[in-house]
Amino acid sequence: MFKQIKKLSLVASMLLLAACSNSSNDAKTDGNSGEIDRSQTIVIYTNSASNGRSEYLQEKAEEAGYKLQIVDIAGSEIADRLIAEKNNAVADLVFGPNTLEFERIKKEELLVKYSPKWTDKVDSSLGDKDGYYHSLVVQPLVLIGNKTVEMPSDWVDLTKSSYKDKYGILNLGSGTSKIIFSSIVSRYPDKDGELGISEEGWKVAKDYLQNAHIYADGEDFISAIIDDENDLNYSMIWGSGVLQNESERNYKFQVMSPEVGVPYVTEQIGILNTSEKQALLKEFVDWFGSAEVQKAWSDEFGSIPANQDALAEVKPDIKEFVDSVKPQKLDWEFIGNNVDSWIEKAQLEFIQ
């Protein structure tokens, strides 16, 4: 980027060559030499394709001149899929998974370092400090309840026998359930305890899981929560899911707001360095993360944009929801180093 003349020309050339071979992460940053060929199809892996999102994004992207093939994959499975396909890549781009999953992808050196045009509009602490993935949507993970019932004050209240089979959770393989479970057990750190957790923490984890109704695939838990005659009164859910279901079903849920806060996760986006469509992908990321597109995405699906310009223009109900909860302070390094072991123990020992 920085060039001088005459005597320094050799130095500049050497710097340019060094930049082109900077690291394995950056080795394929511009496979098509900056020429943007919009006739190419962008293959996207995402866990944010449900409830009409895939169709909406394809339609809006086509209007903007992009051709997409969207592959819907569970958030906890995307990193595994990308790692398995590392030497025979299919995807060009990934968005939706949280920071923990993107860190796995980053460690496998599968991402391109890139700074989108909207980077300065997003809190830098939400994304990757090194610039390999960037934040699109902020998701508070919450417990909602039927509007007629008394809400618990905290997740740990659900360990009481009075809540047996009255709340539902997603299976521990889902990103939402995994993070909420981690946000509970990580409150009980013990360097001498099993997997870094105290005996009290594991008792809380066991009671929390064994009191819960674990949803089957395709189960309509929202209808169950709304039904006043149903024993299932509460459910875990992600922030945009609350807002979208309230809008679609004309219903106002109660939302638990613990004193410690609720876990916030951020849906990230990253470009895969195995793709040869780099210029096209960078242009698409610039478009998708822009304030205009993220505001429209929020209007359609009740999401909370990470882009501050978009957030300033969201609907009043979204602002109200954002103001009703606060983020829980979590040790993400502690969680990231242990979460897989915690989940494995829980699935083997606590899930009946």
Side-chain angles (χ1 to χ4, degrees):
M1 295 174 61
F2 303 97
K3 298 180 180 178
Q4 298 185 25
I5 58 173
K6 194 62 176 172
K7 187 176 181 179
L8 294 180
S9 61
L10 178 60
V11 176
S13 298
M14 292 173 66
L15 287 173
L16 181 60
L17 287 171
C20 291
S21 57
N22 186 34
S23 73
S24 58
N25 284 56
D26 298 327
K28 299 180 181 179
T29 54
D30 211 357
N32 55 8
S33 303
E35 296 180 6
I36 300 175
D37 180 4
R38 290 192 175 186
S39 69
Q40 299 178 101
T41 297
I42 300 173
V43 180
I44 298 175
Y45 283 1
T46 182
N47 61 331
S48 189
S50 61
N51 299 318
R53 286 174 173 81
S54 177
E55 295 79 5
Y56 175 88
L57 180 56
Q58 284 182 309
E59 178 184 342
K60 297 302 178 183
E62 186 175 352
E63 292 174 3
Y66 303 106
K67 294 171 60 178
L68 307 183
Q69 179 184 341
I70 299 175
V71 183
D72 187 5
I73 307 173
S76 59
E77 298 174 6
I78 288 179
D80 291 337
R81 178 86 166 260
L82 291 172
I83 293 168
E85 295 176 351
K86 188 172 185 178
N87 296 319
N88 190 22
V90 176
D92 301 304
L93 184 81
V94 57
F95 83 86
N98 60 46
T99 303
L100 291 179
E101 297 302 318
F102 259 97
E103 276 297 304
R104 292 183 60 205
I105 301 168
K106 177 184 174 184
K107 287 177 182 177
E108 291 291 326
E109 299 188 342
L110 286 170
L111 297 170
V112 169
K113 188 173 184 178
Y114 177 58
S115 180
K117 291 181 178 179
W118 41 265
T119 302
D120 62 341
K121 303 299 182 180
V122 176
D123 181 349
S124 60
S125 68
L126 296 176
D128 176 36
K129 67 181 187 304
D130 298 320
Y132 287 98
Y133 56 84
H134 301 273
S135 305
L136 289 176
V137 172
V138 178
Q139 292 280 16
L141 305 181
V142 298
L143 185 79
I144 57 172
N146 179 292
K147 60 186 177 183
T148 67
V149 298
E150 182 178 349
M151 291 295 288
S153 62
D154 196 292
W155 292 101
V156 297
D157 290 350
L158 301 176
T159 62
K160 299 174 184 177
S161 59
S162 58
Y163 286 103
K164 176 70 174 176
D165 296 325
K166 291 188 179 298
Y167 63 95
I169 67 173
L170 300 163
N171 73 74
L172 286 176
S174 77
T176 295
S177 196
K178 181 187 291 188
I179 295 296
I180 290 175
F181 179 77
S182 298
S183 77
I184 297 171
V185 298
S186 64
R187 298 193 208 178
Y188 302 90
D190 182 348
K191 61 182 178 60
D192 297 319
E194 184 180 2
L195 303 177
I197 301 298
S198 69
E199 288 187 17
E200 180 187 5
W202 286 123
K203 184 180 186 307
V204 168
K206 179 180 179 179
D207 292 344
Y208 162 75
L209 291 173
Q210 294 189 349
N211 275 354
H213 166 71
I214 300 177
Y215 299 126
D217 289 344
E219 185 173 352
D220 184 2
F221 61 89
I222 296 296
S223 293
I225 300 301
I226 292 174
D227 184 355
D228 293 340
E229 304 302 318
N230 199 309
D231 289 337
L232 196 65
N233 301 140
Y234 315 95
S235 178
M236 66 167 49
I237 195 170
W238 52 98
S240 60
V242 179
L243 296 160
Q244 186 174 4
N245 279 288
E246 285 186 335
S247 174
E248 291 177 354
R249 303 182 191 234
N250 192 29
Y251 190 89
K252 186 70 173 178
F253 296 104
Q254 295 190 77
V255 179
M256 184 179 72
S257 183
E259 182 62 29
V260 298
V262 299
Y264 272 52
V265 296
T266 308
E267 296 181 7
Q268 311 282 2
I269 189 168
I271 297 171
L272 297 168
N273 62 19
T274 49
S275 174
E276 297 182 353
K277 309 166 188 173
Q278 293 299 313
L280 176 63
L281 299 177
K282 291 172 183 177
E283 185 186 76
F284 176 80
V285 170
D286 287 344
W287 171 81
F288 188 39
S290 67
E292 179 183 1
V293 174
Q294 286 300 302
K295 163 63 166 57
W297 187 262
S298 174
D299 288 345
E300 189 73 18
F301 301 109
S303 62
I304 301 170
N307 187 310
Q308 292 299 305
D309 286 353
L311 182 62
E313 301 297 328
V314 297
K315 296 177 180 178
D317 61 330
I318 297 178
K319 291 182 179 179
E320 179 185 351
F321 176 73
V322 171
D323 291 340
S324 72
V325 292
K326 66 178 183 180
Q328 179 182 356
K329 292 182 179 179
L330 294 170
D331 185 341
W332 287 109
E333 182 177 4
F334 178 47
I335 292 173
N337 289 337
N338 293 282
V339 61
D340 290 339
S341 298
W342 294 342
I343 296 299
E344 182 179 17
K345 175 180 172 65
Q347 289 174 326
L348 291 174
E349 299 181 22
F350 302 152
I351 304 296
Q352 297 174 327

